[in-house]
Amino acid sequence: GGGGGGGLKFGAKMMSAQQALRERRGKSENTAEPERVKALTSMLDEYAAVLGALNKGCARDAKCVAASVNEGMALADALVDSAGTLRDPTHVLGSQKLIDVCERVAEFEAGVADMRLKLAAAISDVGESLKALTKAEIRHAKATKQKFDKKRLQYDATKAKVAQHKAKGRTEKVAEAEAELDAVRDAFDDVERATTDTLEDASSTCEIESIRQLCAYLDAYDRFFELGHRWSLAARPFVAEARKYVEEQRVAVNARAVSNAARDADIAAKKQQRVRTPSNAAAQAAAAKPSPGRLFGKPLDVVVAEVPLDADGVPRPIGKLIEYLEKRALREEGLFRVTGFKSEMAVLRKKIEDDDAGVFELPADQSVVHEVASLLKSYLRE
């Protein structure tokens, strides 16, 4: 009896295998599987592909977010070190505004790093949940479907056997095969209902859980951006003040550049006008000398007798010229070599002649250093 039962089971397996082979070769069709089961099976395969892709995507996203934490902390450390260097009293730069900005951005990066860690953990949880869903629901549904396929192949094979016996006129075999078919049909109907229920439940669970986990993914980013927005709102007054400082400094830099350019152009123009060619020098030497005045063109013994002297025994107007050159012109290129403007020298000479007490005013800058030097040379020469 035991051997006979084993033979029947082996025979049923052989029939199922032969039926599967005929279907693969196109010699037989899968007529017993309901369209609903086929549709649910196809849907489940699509869910498996979608869940797999979502799981991998979440894993990559979590990895990227986690990696950015180290980069952000490295930037925060660099900013803190920079602020410390700038705060050092021996440092040349020492910009307090730059120190404040470095520290504020470092604070931001440290806070964002914590936010990113939480975001990465939340994304990883979503991926793991989707992965667990694939293992639990889809694998269970596929295992149930495999049992269904076995019963369906057995049912189709038994139907084929009944048809074969009928075609060959084996009446006694037909009755036996039909009885077997009834039993197989009842078992197949039970498996079909169970499989349909399992596939429907799995499909619904995959849909619901996928939506729930994707909402959790969006919630994680929503929290991340909400915290970032709060920090941004708190930082806006600081950023506005920093930008105002930048604009003020930019205006100052531009104004300084314009002033420097004008100064350089003026100096270049003056140097160009001071250039003396040999012909100009000859013409200048041939020009008539100025007529003697109260200081210029007189012997020193007469000047010291008529003009007030300073503490060093030098006529006060001449001493004032020397004092101006000592204060303003010791580093001036071409001093006593470059000739000053004749018109300015004439004005300055008249001031000195009219005010031998030495109270006349000279400019507080370097604009007449060559004129003063040339005038001093003229005095000594005359």
Side-chain angles (χ1 to χ4, degrees):
L8 290 174
K9 289 181 180 180
F10 179 76
K13 290 181 179 180
M14 285 295 297
M15 290 171 57
S16 298
Q18 291 172 354
Q19 177 66 21
L21 182 61
R22 285 194 296 270
E23 289 180 4
R24 284 197 294 271
R25 292 178 176 177
K27 295 182 178 180
S28 180
E29 295 183 1
N30 177 7
T31 58
E33 183 171 347
E35 291 300 321
R36 178 61 177 164
V37 174
K38 291 181 181 179
L40 288 172
T41 302
S42 178
M43 184 184 299
L44 202 64
D45 290 338
E46 292 179 0
Y47 272 126
V50 169
L51 291 173
L54 291 176
N55 178 32
K56 291 181 180 179
C58 287
R60 286 193 297 269
D61 193 13
K63 186 176 180 180
C64 291
V65 174
S68 67
V69 173
N70 294 331
E71 297 175 359
M73 289 306 299
L75 175 58
D77 292 340
L79 289 165
V80 171
D81 292 341
S82 298
T85 301
L86 293 171
R87 191 178 285 106
D88 188 344
T90 63
H91 199 276
V92 177
L93 190 58
S95 170
Q96 184 58 47
K97 182 61 67 174
L98 183 55
I99 291 173
D100 294 342
V101 173
C102 286
E103 290 179 340
R104 194 61 178 263
V105 177
E107 178 186 348
F108 164 76
E109 280 297 337
V112 170
D114 181 65
M115 292 161 53
R116 285 172 177 158
L117 284 175
K118 294 178 180 178
L119 176 62
I123 295 173
S124 180
D125 289 343
V126 170
E128 290 299 320
S129 297
L130 293 173
K131 185 177 180 180
L133 180 63
T134 303
K135 288 182 177 180
E137 294 296 329
I138 294 182
R139 287 186 180 180
H140 172 66
K142 286 187 175 182
T144 303
K145 180 61 169 52
Q146 287 178 351
K147 294 178 181 179
F148 169 83
D149 289 337
K150 290 180 180 180
K151 285 295 181 183
R152 198 269 306 164
L153 288 171
Q154 183 182 1
Y155 176 63
D156 279 340
T158 305
K159 284 200 305 181
K161 184 170 69 171
V162 171
Q164 185 180 11
H165 289 327
K166 287 182 177 180
K168 293 183 178 181
R170 299 173 180 173
T171 307
E172 69 284 356
K173 294 288 186 181
V174 170
E176 181 181 346
E178 287 181 342
E180 180 182 354
L181 180 61
D182 290 338
V184 171
R185 182 187 293 112
D186 291 340
F188 174 67
D189 290 341
D190 294 338
V191 171
E192 178 192 338
R193 287 192 298 273
T195 301
T196 301
D197 293 343
T198 300
L199 292 176
E200 287 179 343
D201 292 343
S203 298
S204 297
T205 301
C206 287
E207 178 189 22
I208 293 170
E209 286 300 310
S210 296
I211 295 174
R212 192 172 73 87
Q213 293 302 325
L214 289 176
C215 287
Y217 176 88
L218 294 176
D219 288 341
Y221 267 102
D222 182 65
R223 287 191 296 271
F224 178 82
F225 289 121
E226 181 181 1
L227 292 174
H229 182 62
R230 290 179 183 176
W231 190 95
S232 176
L233 290 176
R236 282 181 182 177
F238 176 84
V239 174
E241 181 183 353
R243 283 190 173 138
K244 180 180 178 182
Y245 174 83
V246 168
E247 289 303 318
E248 291 173 350
Q249 294 304 308
R250 183 178 296 169
V251 170
V253 168
N254 291 338
R256 188 164 59 248
V258 171
S259 176
N260 292 343
R263 178 203 63 195
D264 294 343
D266 183 59
I267 292 174
K270 287 182 178 181
K271 287 183 178 180
Q272 185 67 25
Q273 293 178 11
R274 290 182 184 131
V275 174
R276 295 291 183 264
T277 62
S279 59
N280 289 337
Q284 184 179 11
K289 295 184 179 180
S291 59
R294 301 178 66 185
L295 282 171
F296 287 81
K298 284 188 175 183
L300 286 177
D301 57 346
V302 176
V303 172
V304 296
E306 297 180 353
V307 177
L309 306 178
D310 61 15
D312 295 324
V314 177
R316 285 183 183 176
I318 305 303
K320 193 162 187 176
L321 296 180
I322 295 173
E323 181 183 1
Y324 175 81
L325 294 176
E326 287 178 341
K327 290 183 178 180
R328 308 290 182 191
L330 293 184
R331 296 184 179 274
E332 181 70 17
E333 182 179 357
L335 188 64
F336 292 111
R337 179 173 57 82
V338 176
T339 304
F341 291 115
K342 289 295 180 181
S343 59
E344 295 183 15
M345 288 174 60
V347 172
L348 185 57
R349 178 168 176 157
K350 187 175 185 303
K351 282 185 178 181
I352 295 174
E353 292 287 10
D354 294 343
D355 185 12
D356 55 12
V359 296
F360 60 90
E361 295 295 329
L362 290 173
D365 54 18
Q366 297 174 297
S367 59
V368 294
V369 292
H370 294 292
E371 286 73 14
V372 171
S374 297
L375 200 58
L376 183 58
K377 285 171 61 178
S378 296
Y379 174 77
L380 296 176
R381 186 168 50 248
E382 295 177 22

mmCIF file of all heavy atoms in Angstrom, residues 75-85 87 102-103 106-107:
data_model
loop_
_atom_site.group_PDB
_atom_site.id
_atom_site.type_symbol
_atom_site.label_atom_id
_atom_site.label_comp_id
_atom_site.label_asym_id
_atom_site.label_seq_id
_atom_site.Cartn_x
_atom_site.Cartn_y
_atom_site.Cartn_z
ATOM 1 N N LEU A 75 34.821 71.243 6.993
ATOM 2 C CA LEU A 75 34.698 72.677 6.735
ATOM 3 C C LEU A 75 34.523 73.444 8.039
ATOM 4 O O LEU A 75 35.116 74.513 8.235
ATOM 5 C CB LEU A 75 33.519 72.936 5.799
ATOM 6 C CG LEU A 75 33.190 74.406 5.516
ATOM 7 C CD1 LEU A 75 34.393 75.126 4.920
ATOM 8 C CD2 LEU A 75 31.993 74.520 4.584
ATOM 9 N N ALA A 76 33.699 72.918 8.947
ATOM 10 C CA ALA A 76 33.483 73.583 10.240
ATOM 11 C C ALA A 76 34.798 73.695 11.008
ATOM 12 O O ALA A 76 35.107 74.744 11.587
ATOM 13 C CB ALA A 76 32.440 72.823 11.058
ATOM 14 N N ASP A 77 35.583 72.619 11.022
ATOM 15 C CA ASP A 77 36.878 72.661 11.712
ATOM 16 C C ASP A 77 37.803 73.696 11.092
ATOM 17 O O ASP A 77 38.506 74.434 11.797
ATOM 18 C CB ASP A 77 37.537 71.279 11.663
ATOM 19 C CG ASP A 77 36.786 70.246 12.497
ATOM 20 O OD1 ASP A 77 36.009 70.668 13.386
ATOM 21 O OD2 ASP A 77 36.961 69.038 12.255
ATOM 22 N N ALA A 78 37.822 73.757 9.758
ATOM 23 C CA ALA A 78 38.680 74.729 9.071
ATOM 24 C C ALA A 78 38.254 76.158 9.411
ATOM 25 O O ALA A 78 39.102 77.041 9.612
ATOM 26 C CB ALA A 78 38.621 74.499 7.565
ATOM 27 N N LEU A 79 36.948 76.383 9.498
ATOM 28 C CA LEU A 79 36.452 77.723 9.825
ATOM 29 C C LEU A 79 36.808 78.112 11.255
ATOM 30 O O LEU A 79 37.190 79.254 11.531
ATOM 31 C CB LEU A 79 34.938 77.778 9.621
ATOM 32 C CG LEU A 79 34.467 77.750 8.161
ATOM 33 C CD1 LEU A 79 32.982 77.428 8.097
ATOM 34 C CD2 LEU A 79 34.747 79.080 7.484
ATOM 35 N N VAL A 80 36.693 77.153 12.179
ATOM 36 C CA VAL A 80 37.047 77.430 13.572
ATOM 37 C C VAL A 80 38.537 77.745 13.683
ATOM 38 O O VAL A 80 38.952 78.682 14.376
ATOM 39 C CB VAL A 80 36.671 76.235 14.462
ATOM 40 C CG1 VAL A 80 37.238 76.409 15.871
ATOM 41 C CG2 VAL A 80 35.154 76.082 14.544
ATOM 42 N N ASP A 81 39.367 76.956 12.988
ATOM 43 C CA ASP A 81 40.814 77.215 12.997
ATOM 44 C C ASP A 81 41.127 78.590 12.408
ATOM 45 O O ASP A 81 41.989 79.314 12.920
ATOM 46 C CB ASP A 81 41.544 76.131 12.207
ATOM 47 C CG ASP A 81 41.467 74.771 12.894
ATOM 48 O OD1 ASP A 81 41.178 74.743 14.102
ATOM 49 O OD2 ASP A 81 41.691 73.750 12.218
ATOM 50 N N SER A 82 40.433 78.943 11.325
ATOM 51 C CA SER A 82 40.665 80.250 10.699
ATOM 52 C C SER A 82 40.291 81.388 11.645
ATOM 53 O O SER A 82 41.014 82.387 11.753
ATOM 54 C CB SER A 82 39.852 80.357 9.405
ATOM 55 O OG SER A 82 40.245 79.374 8.477
ATOM 56 N N ALA A 83 39.158 81.225 12.331
ATOM 57 C CA ALA A 83 38.743 82.264 13.284
ATOM 58 C C ALA A 83 39.771 82.408 14.403
ATOM 59 O O ALA A 83 40.097 83.512 14.839
ATOM 60 C CB ALA A 83 37.368 81.928 13.857
ATOM 61 N N GLY A 84 40.305 81.265 14.882
ATOM 62 C CA GLY A 84 41.332 81.315 15.916
ATOM 63 C C GLY A 84 42.591 82.009 15.439
ATOM 64 O O GLY A 84 43.214 82.787 16.170
ATOM 65 N N THR A 85 42.984 81.748 14.204
ATOM 66 C CA THR A 85 44.173 82.398 13.642
ATOM 67 C C THR A 85 43.958 83.903 13.522
ATOM 68 O O THR A 85 44.840 84.706 13.850
ATOM 69 C CB THR A 85 44.493 81.808 12.259
ATOM 70 O OG1 THR A 85 44.711 80.394 12.398
ATOM 71 C CG2 THR A 85 45.730 82.453 11.669
ATOM 72 N N ARG A 87 41.991 85.719 15.267
ATOM 73 C CA ARG A 87 41.863 86.324 16.592
ATOM 74 C C ARG A 87 43.221 86.527 17.262
ATOM 75 O O ARG A 87 43.353 87.304 18.207
ATOM 76 C CB ARG A 87 40.953 85.466 17.472
ATOM 77 C CG ARG A 87 40.563 86.166 18.770
ATOM 78 C CD ARG A 87 39.632 85.314 19.610
ATOM 79 N NE ARG A 87 38.291 85.317 19.045
ATOM 80 C CZ ARG A 87 37.752 84.296 18.384
ATOM 81 N NH1 ARG A 87 38.447 83.194 18.204
ATOM 82 N NH2 ARG A 87 36.533 84.359 17.905
ATOM 83 N N CYS A 102 33.147 83.581 10.060
ATOM 84 C CA CYS A 102 33.713 82.229 10.125
ATOM 85 C C CYS A 102 33.068 81.416 11.242
ATOM 86 O O CYS A 102 32.685 80.258 11.050
ATOM 87 C CB CYS A 102 35.227 82.294 10.325
ATOM 88 S SG CYS A 102 36.164 82.782 8.860
ATOM 89 N N GLU A 103 32.927 82.017 12.400
ATOM 90 C CA GLU A 103 32.332 81.306 13.533
ATOM 91 C C GLU A 103 30.864 81.007 13.289
ATOM 92 O O GLU A 103 30.372 79.926 13.668
ATOM 93 C CB GLU A 103 32.501 82.149 14.800
ATOM 94 C CG GLU A 103 33.944 82.228 15.278
ATOM 95 C CD GLU A 103 34.098 83.081 16.519
ATOM 96 O OE1 GLU A 103 33.193 83.911 16.793
ATOM 97 O OE2 GLU A 103 35.109 82.936 17.213
ATOM 98 N N ALA A 106 30.685 78.136 10.800
ATOM 99 C CA ALA A 106 31.105 76.901 11.481
ATOM 100 C C ALA A 106 29.977 76.361 12.355
ATOM 101 O O ALA A 106 29.716 75.145 12.388
ATOM 102 C CB ALA A 106 32.351 77.169 12.324
ATOM 103 N N GLU A 107 29.292 77.261 13.042
ATOM 104 C CA GLU A 107 28.137 76.862 13.854
ATOM 105 C C GLU A 107 27.046 76.250 12.981
ATOM 106 O O GLU A 107 26.432 75.236 13.332
ATOM 107 C CB GLU A 107 27.610 78.086 14.597
ATOM 108 C CG GLU A 107 26.373 77.808 15.446
ATOM 109 C CD GLU A 107 25.806 79.083 16.041
ATOM 110 O OE1 GLU A 107 26.487 80.123 15.993
ATOM 111 O OE2 GLU A 107 24.672 79.043 16.553
#
